[in-house]
Amino acid sequence: MGWIVLLWIGFLVVGALLAWGAYHFLSGYNTNRIVGFAFIGAIIVALVATIFMTNQLTNTESFKRWKKSVDSEFKGGITRQITVYSEGGEVIFKNKGKFDVEYTEGRLKWIDENGKVQIIYLGNSATAVVNEIEAE
């Protein structure tokens, strides 16, 4: 977590340098060529750092979970299969469809593809398995 703070401090410093360079460039400030090269160098460093950090942040498992959550939210859910088993292992309920599942206080809740709210009360002896499956 600490490196993210350092990353943002770095972005702020680079942004301040870019703003300073843009101000002097646009105001006609009579500078030597070193300032121009420093400004261009700061832009290149900022672009490389952004590309590097974007690659590092998007390869994390938390980013993949977040992306899956966003995809599910805006694409109407993920194709899933819900199977509820009794204490003895018999299948009590099985359903397949594109939806988001919410688990709270011993129950599964989702809105099916027909817009109907579905709720399964699990109790103390039932087990529910929710798997993501390939869309047909």
Side-chain angles (χ1 to χ4, degrees), residues 103-107 121:
Y103 175 78
T104 54
E105 299 177 5
R107 63 183 147 180
Y121 295 96

Side-chain angles (χ1 to χ4, degrees), residues 66-123:
W66 175 80
K67 183 179 179 301
K68 180 70 77 170
S69 176
V70 168
D71 286 346
S72 174
E73 184 72 29
F74 292 107
K75 294 181 180 177
I78 298 172
T79 304
R80 301 176 193 264
Q81 179 177 3
I82 298 175
T83 308
V84 180
Y85 298 96
S86 69
E87 187 176 22
E90 298 89 25
V91 175
I92 300 172
F93 177 80
K94 193 171 193 175
N95 191 7
K96 176 185 333 186
K98 192 171 187 179
F99 42 77
D100 289 326
V101 178
E102 177 184 327
Y103 175 78
T104 54
E105 299 177 5
R107 63 183 147 180
L108 291 176
K109 179 180 175 183
W110 71 94
I111 300 174
D112 65 13
E113 294 171 330
N114 299 323
K116 306 266 186 203
V117 175
Q118 303 290 326
I119 300 174
I120 297 177
Y121 295 96
L122 296 174

Side-chain angles (χ1 to χ4, degrees), residues 20-80:
W20 178 80
Y23 169 76
H24 287 297
F25 179 75
L26 295 174
S27 67
Y29 183 71
N30 192 4
T31 60
N32 56 17
R33 295 179 79 159
I34 293 176
V35 173
F37 288 127
F39 182 65
I40 292 170
I43 291 173
I44 291 171
V45 167
L47 289 174
V48 169
T50 301
I51 290 169
F52 176 73
M53 290 302 160
T54 301
N55 183 37
Q56 293 297 315
L57 292 174
T58 57
N59 283 332
T60 63
E61 293 303 317
S62 62
F63 178 80
K64 292 174 186 174
R65 284 189 297 274
W66 175 80
K67 183 179 179 301
K68 180 70 77 170
S69 176
V70 168
D71 286 346
S72 174
E73 184 72 29
F74 292 107
K75 294 181 180 177
I78 298 172
T79 304
R80 301 176 193 264

